[in-house]
Amino acid sequence: MKQIYLILQREFITRVRKKSFIIMTLLSPLFFAALMVLPSYFASLEDTSAKSIAIIDNTGSFTNVIPQTDYLKFSYITDTPVDEVKNKLEESGYYALLTIDTTTENNTPKLTIYSKKQPAIDVLSHIENSLEKEIETRKLKSYNIENLDKILADVKTEVKLRSIKLSKDGEEQESNTLITMGIAYILSFLMYMMVLLMGNQIMQGVIEEKNSRVVEVIISSIKPLNLMMGKILGLASVSLLQIAVWILLTLGLATVGINVLTERTQKANMEQMQASQKLMAEQGIDQSNMPTNISSDEGNNFLSALKSQNFVLIIGGFIFYFLGGFLLYAAMFAAVGSAVENITDTQQLVLPITLPLILSIIVMISGIKSPDGPLAFWFSIIPFTSPVVMLTRLPFGVPTWQLVLSASLLIITFLVITWFASKIYRVGILMYGKKYSWKEMWKWMRYGS
Amino acid sequence: MNILTASNIEKRYSNHLALDDVSIAVPKGSIYGLLGPNGAGKTTLIRIINQITGPDKGEVLFDGHKLAENDIYRIGYLPEERGLYKKMKVGEQALFLAQLKGLSRTEALKRLKYWFEKFEIQGWWDKKIEELSKGMAQKIQFMVTIIHEPQLLIFDEPFSGFDPINAQLIKDEILDLKKRGTTIIFSTHNMSSVEELCDHITLINKSKNILSGQIDQVRMNYGSNVFEIAYRGNIEAIKSNISSHYDIINNDTEGSIPKVQVVASSPSEGNKLLQSLIPHIEVVSFNPVVPSMHDIFIKVVQEYNKAHGLSSN
């Protein structure tokens, strides 16, 4: 045991000290956090250059219907023919020309927008939405219903689906499928990525020991199985450390980033709201029923959905499946490393090992939509794919018997595979200039102890 | 008393027999030479002693008991295919390997300090192995092999990579270890160092032990019936008087005193030979010719292969 610990310690210290490890560990969270924060940052960077749009209203009934915003101004042109405005669009400083024509059909005007550049989507939707609303109101009014405003205010509804997870003892907890899916994705991708990355590192480490001929010195002091286990456990601890740092740093950075952003957007929103309120007041629109504070509501939902996750189970499950899957795959990578003398020779031997991993990622992507479906179920039981697929299912809740079955199968498989791998490893690390193939390795497995 | 006895060891790999009924007995405190052509099975035997691999048949006794897992702490091994972690610092690496051999951290540090001072390499502690020359790295390797003061040391080609000065340093160190009671198994192709260092030898050829014994005895057995005579007088006088009974194999007339080598039919015929010569010439010296290990090695291996219809490769 002490020797395994010595090997583990050496692997851990030499790897953690490497510059590449430090850079990877510290810079990746920046990247992850950027992935989380940047989309909302870019969304906040709306096009703020003022655009003015000319409107030729041939119906004559939509003047001043479309409200101005900070960056959209509308000028209604009555005295210039369409073609002239069209031709002189840029010279006269217009971004686009909107024409409103009457149609016979359903009292809906025909709208056309002319511009040199493809008009931005939010410009289009602003125009469409305001006209749509106006026309709807007008149509409603044409029915001459009494107290229409009151009825409209009364009718206005917003449906929000709250999703509540029932725990065994009947307790209710707010849940959020999107957040659960997000956690599932992150966990299983981390698993997949780390096993592949570290498996390769183990393989390289074994090849390095073999090539530098240090291995025979070492196995005269420690059994090959213990050397292999020490290396694998050493790298497993390196990975767990890296994952812990990644998660903590990413969450920290993302929180800071989001806070900074929301402060900024809140400020901007406030100003905008005040401006539009003023505008609406000017136009005499009743705003007593405008929805307010949606965002803070959603924030609460997010938090309570996060709280609804059984983090003890998820973290415990992650550590268990991570270690199980890691040990299982790392042992096979170590066996392959022992059989070759050069990293370029590993490709054909590594393929059968990575196939189940790739398969489990494919299952994960389709299984995440129905985490209790037969596909996800079976692959979360089969040991070679269960580390990734079970992690996908875990945040959605998994029956205990399935967890126990999958975990015990994983442990048994890990023991069997490690035993076989160590037999290959034991022979392989002392073998130079031999042809490496699965056939040859099968022979090594059957050598006496 | 033997510190190590291996009896009737057999080891088979998938397509060949690496060791076939090999037995050796290593006396405590001796330097034991393990000789043999490449691929004879020496490394396999050494790996069995180190428990890197196990025998299919046979038994290894260490210090009176069956070789057990804990015995690795009492054995030191310098493999022929040796190396160190290239990117690791000398001091950390030595500490790591010493601890693997069962030393506590503090004890390992203490002993390493002693050896670094003794070899005058204190300045290397923080250097990486890849920054050292091959000879320097070999020195570190030798040091970590003996750091845990094992009772049995196994050296496979210990002098390779050393310049003559450092080779001498290592040789002195080996003799010093012997003086302090360490038993050493020494595997090499360098026969002059075998003659110089070894007390006992075993010659393994084609997976079999074909020659074992005390080195002086072995050398006597292989040629003590040859005598070299330095003389004053006429060679014809020798020839005419002894050639009917003995063969003259070497007649060296160079130098002031001519020498002749005569093959007697047995080692005990020295007196008889001398008697028959004394009346005719003046005998300046009379010595049995002890063959070199080099000659014995070649002779024994070739004779064995010829007798068994094997090629020498």
Side-chain angles (χ1 to χ4, degrees), chain A residues 66-343:
Chain A
I66 307 171
Q68 315 241 11
T69 68
D70 285 350
Y71 56 97
L72 274 182
K73 310 282 175 218
F74 299 97
S75 355
Y76 293 83
I77 298 169
T78 46
D79 48 355
T80 325
V82 175
D83 285 340
E84 203 174 308
V85 180
K86 253 199 267 179
N87 291 336
K88 292 188 175 171
L89 203 59
E90 263 173 300
E91 287 92 325
S92 39
Y94 290 122
Y95 172 72
L97 165 67
L98 175 73
T99 58
I100 307 174
D101 297 297
T102 38
T103 53
T104 48
E105 182 201 325
N106 205 10
N107 282 338
T108 313
K110 184 178 156 224
L111 301 172
T112 319
I113 192 159
Y114 303 93
S115 64
K116 292 277 175 189
K117 283 187 268 174
Q118 180 65 38
I121 188 86
D122 51 345
V123 174
L124 295 183
S125 56
H126 179 72
I127 295 171
E128 271 175 6
N129 289 343
S130 17
L131 282 174
E132 228 168 67
K133 218 181 261 172
E134 176 65 25
I135 295 166
E136 271 174 25
T137 322
R138 282 186 192 178
K139 281 182 183 170
L140 276 171
K141 277 190 177 149
S142 69
Y143 288 99
N144 286 325
I145 304 166
E146 259 180 273
N147 297 328
L148 182 68
D149 282 353
K150 205 177 158 251
I151 293 171
L152 277 184
D154 203 38
V155 160
K156 193 162 179 91
T157 347
E158 197 186 349
V159 175
K160 288 214 75 179
L161 181 62
R162 276 176 83 210
S163 142
I164 307 242
K165 224 159 75 173
L166 291 174
S167 67
K168 250 193 205 139
D169 37 354
E171 222 178 294
E172 297 184 1
Q173 274 181 318
E174 194 97 33
S175 72
N176 182 321
T177 309
L178 273 180
I179 289 169
T180 312
M181 272 174 86
I183 293 174
Y185 258 120
I186 292 169
L187 290 185
S188 27
F189 262 116
L190 263 179
M191 172 79 216
Y192 168 76
M193 205 175 72
M194 279 320 227
V195 167
L196 264 193
L197 265 178
M198 291 295 160
N200 271 297
Q201 291 226 15
I202 287 189
M203 203 164 66
Q204 275 175 27
V206 172
I207 294 172
E208 191 193 316
E209 275 177 2
K210 201 175 155 176
N211 282 346
S212 68
R213 315 274 160 147
V214 74
V215 71
E216 193 161 349
V217 176
I218 292 186
I219 57 168
S220 68
S221 323
I222 176 169
K223 288 197 156 175
L225 174 67
N226 292 350
L227 171 61
M228 192 176 95
M229 285 318 293
K231 289 181 84 66
I232 292 173
L233 290 175
L235 274 158
S237 1
V238 173
S239 319
L240 282 178
L241 172 76
Q242 192 163 40
I243 290 173
V245 174
W246 276 354
I247 290 178
L248 290 179
L249 270 186
T250 305
L251 286 182
L253 284 172
T255 316
V256 171
I258 286 172
N259 276 343
V260 169
L261 267 184
T262 41
E263 238 165 70
R264 264 184 48 179
T265 46
Q266 261 169 5
K267 232 160 123 194
N269 281 347
M270 277 297 235
E271 282 164 11
Q272 210 172 343
M273 215 190 276
Q274 278 166 358
S276 59
Q277 273 171 356
K278 221 169 91 190
L279 199 77
M280 282 192 264
E282 276 166 12
Q283 291 171 348
I285 294 171
D286 184 11
Q287 31 181 285
S288 54
N289 285 297
M290 295 292 284
T292 47
N293 283 333
I294 295 172
S295 58
S296 73
D297 225 35
E298 264 166 15
N300 282 338
N301 283 349
F302 180 80
L303 275 183
S304 62
L306 262 188
K307 274 186 209 141
S308 81
Q309 295 295 335
N310 187 344
F311 276 107
V312 178
L313 179 72
I314 288 183
I315 291 173
F318 180 77
I319 292 177
F320 173 81
Y321 279 98
F322 182 82
L323 284 178
F326 191 94
L327 293 175
L328 177 65
Y329 279 96
M332 294 192 282
F333 276 109
V336 167
S338 75
V340 300
E341 278 158 65
N342 197 314
I343 192 82

Side-chain angles (χ1 to χ4, degrees), chain B residues 37-298:
Chain B
N38 294 321
K42 289 169 296 176
T43 304
T44 304
L45 181 61
I46 289 175
R47 282 180 181 168
I48 287 172
I49 297 170
N50 275 301
Q51 302 179 76
I52 290 173
T53 184
D56 296 337
K57 276 183 201 156
E59 191 183 44
V60 183
L61 293 179
F62 180 75
D63 210 7
H65 60 266
K66 202 161 183 275
L67 192 63
E69 210 172 302
N70 273 341
D71 292 330
I72 52 167
Y73 299 125
R74 300 165 66 194
I75 299 176
Y77 174 38
L78 184 68
E80 183 180 11
E81 295 285 6
R82 53 185 172 255
L84 296 163
Y85 289 107
K86 291 196 174 70
K87 306 229 176 268
M88 215 175 161
K89 284 177 182 166
V90 173
E92 279 172 14
Q93 181 147 215
L95 202 55
F96 166 68
L97 292 170
Q99 281 178 282
L100 265 191
K101 276 293 184 189
L103 292 183
S104 72
R105 200 186 149 83
T106 38
E107 182 63 27
L109 268 174
K110 204 176 93 191
R111 292 195 195 174
L112 283 174
K113 196 167 168 265
Y114 166 80
W115 282 102
F116 271 70
E117 270 166 23
K118 182 161 182 182
F119 282 172
E120 295 172 352
I121 53 172
Q122 294 99 315
W124 295 4
W125 188 273
D126 277 326
K127 277 192 182 163
K128 283 183 182 165
I129 290 291
E130 60 187 358
E131 295 168 42
L132 302 184
S133 72
K134 193 182 174 206
M136 288 156 104
Q138 294 278 49
K139 233 171 171 173
I140 304 289
Q141 195 113 47
F142 181 82
M143 191 178 75
V144 296
T145 308
I146 61 173
I147 189 85
H148 59 299
E149 295 176 2
Q151 279 136 296
L152 176 65
L153 271 165
I154 302 169
F155 291 127
D156 201 346
E157 292 294 354
F159 303 120
S160 74
F162 281 117
D163 62 51
I165 293 173
N166 279 313
Q168 190 57 48
L169 183 84
I170 298 301
K171 205 174 278 178
D172 292 343
E173 213 47 66
I174 291 176
L175 289 171
D176 196 44
L177 284 164
K178 184 195 170 187
K179 216 179 284 168
R180 283 184 275 151
T182 312
T183 312
I184 292 156
I185 293 177
F186 180 41
S187 173
T188 183
H189 294 305
N190 181 344
M191 291 303 142
S192 65
S193 62
V194 172
E195 284 168 16
E196 203 176 333
L197 295 171
C198 293
D199 308 310
H200 292 72
I201 61 128
T202 276
L203 177 58
I204 294 177
N205 183 42
K206 305 280 177 195
S207 321
K208 280 194 162 69
N209 180 353
I210 58 169
L211 177 68
S212 262
Q214 248 183 321
I215 192 160
D216 300 333
Q217 203 59 52
V218 168
R219 292 179 71 186
M220 291 295 268
N221 291 349
Y222 277 87
S224 51
N225 55 341
V226 177
F227 298 92
E228 188 180 76
I229 304 133
Y231 62 94
R232 289 200 185 91
N234 194 339
I235 183 73
E236 293 307 322
I238 303 175
K239 277 185 181 168
S240 58
N241 277 287
I242 64 166
S243 56
S244 52
H245 311 287
Y246 308 111
D247 284 335
I248 296 172
I249 54 168
N250 199 352
N251 187 8
D252 179 11
T253 52
E254 304 279 312
S256 54
I257 301 166
K259 290 176 189 133
V260 69
Q261 283 189 356
V262 177
V263 184
S265 44
S266 88
S268 57
E269 289 193 4
N271 266 357
K272 224 166 128 192
L273 174 64
L274 197 54
Q275 271 168 2
S276 64
L277 285 172
I278 284 171
H280 308 287
I281 53 163
E282 185 192 344
V283 174
V284 178
S285 73
F286 183 85
N287 288 308
V289 176
V290 182
S292 68
M293 275 314 296
H294 179 87
D295 295 336
I296 294 174
F297 185 102
I298 291 173

